[in-house]
Amino acid sequence: MERILTAATELIAETGSDAVRMTEVAERAGVPIGSLYQYFPDKPAILRTLAMRVMERVRDGLRLNLEGVKSPADAIARIDAIMVGYYNLFLTEPVTRDIWSGTQSDKALQELDIEDSRRNAQIFSAALKNFVPRRNHARLEAASFLLMQLSGAAVRLAIAVDRQEGDRLIEEYRCIMNRELESLLGN
């Protein structure tokens, strides 16, 4: 299974997810096509597995970076740094971008993306809850979900345009996110 995923990742990096064919993955992995289909019934199954790995990596980083937040200012600074790191992940690992692009063309993978945003929002709002009045917890949860989903959209847009414009877009998104967080956290 790992050979198949490695082969798929290499091919996606070379040609993009749309151009990858199952027969090419099997050839690159050195496995019979029937064995490939035993593990992955179709290309979206491969993309789903690869996307889930990226999602888990991002979620683990989010959890780790928000652990032990000490103040609203600390939270805002950490979240800003997380956003910069998230953008850099897509810039430094282009295959991640292609995997992500592949998820947007499949309904099941879109649902996986939304569920990932929900799970990240739970981590996000849990880290900030102590700094938000109880009466605003529902707003915090809704804003957290939106910010997680919009962060992915902002990064996808930023990597789809030229680098200079992408950098400006991410800078502006960071300002928008920081203003929302300041509003929520009363900072």
Side-chain angles (χ1 to χ4, degrees):
M1 187 165 127
E2 287 305 317
R3 284 193 348 236
I4 292 168
L5 292 172
T6 298
T9 301
E10 290 169 356
L11 288 165
I12 290 168
E14 292 168 14
T15 64
S17 60
D18 289 343
V20 172
R21 303 288 168 247
M22 295 294 273
T23 54
E24 295 171 322
V25 174
E27 285 174 22
R28 175 77 59 103
V31 299
I33 191 74
S35 295
L36 172 68
Y37 282 113
Q38 283 182 324
Y39 290 104
F40 302 102
D42 53 23
K43 188 168 65 171
I46 293 173
L47 289 173
R48 184 173 33 259
T49 301
L50 293 172
M52 287 173 65
R53 287 183 173 189
V54 171
M55 290 172 182
E56 288 169 10
R57 185 173 152 199
V58 169
R59 188 174 310 109
D60 289 345
L62 184 65
R63 189 178 291 114
L64 179 68
N65 286 297
L66 290 177
E67 197 171 281
V69 172
K70 298 189 182 351
S71 68
D74 181 33
I76 291 169
R78 288 186 192 205
I79 291 164
D80 190 57
I82 290 166
M83 187 63 205
V84 170
Y86 185 59
Y87 179 46
N88 285 332
L89 168 69
F90 284 83
L91 290 174
T92 59
E93 297 181 29
V95 71
T96 304
R97 170 183 35 214
D98 292 323
I99 291 167
W100 210 259
S101 293
T103 67
Q104 299 309 297
S105 61
D106 180 271
K107 181 128 176 85
L109 293 173
Q110 288 173 5
E111 290 171 7
L112 182 67
D113 181 41
I114 292 169
E115 182 55 33
D116 180 59
S117 290
R118 284 188 198 284
R119 292 178 70 190
N120 289 340
Q122 290 168 347
I123 294 166
F124 192 86
S125 65
L128 303 180
K129 233 175 207 165
N130 292 335
F131 308 112
V132 176
R134 184 175 217 64
R135 69 182 180 280
N136 291 339
H137 282 191
R139 178 177 170 227
L140 171 64
E141 290 170 9
S144 296
F145 183 32
L146 276 168
L147 287 172
M148 294 300 99
Q149 186 66 27
L150 293 175
S151 293
V155 167
R156 282 191 294 275
L157 175 60
I159 61 176
V161 298
D162 72 74
R163 176 67 188 269
Q164 188 175 12
E165 183 179 17
D167 288 351
R168 282 195 315 269
L169 291 170
I170 291 301
E171 181 64 32
E172 185 60 31
Y173 179 71
R174 288 170 55 208
C175 290
I176 292 167
M177 187 166 52
N178 287 341
R179 282 193 302 270
E180 178 62 15
L181 291 171
E182 288 168 358
S183 167
L184 275 165
L185 300 174
N187 190 21

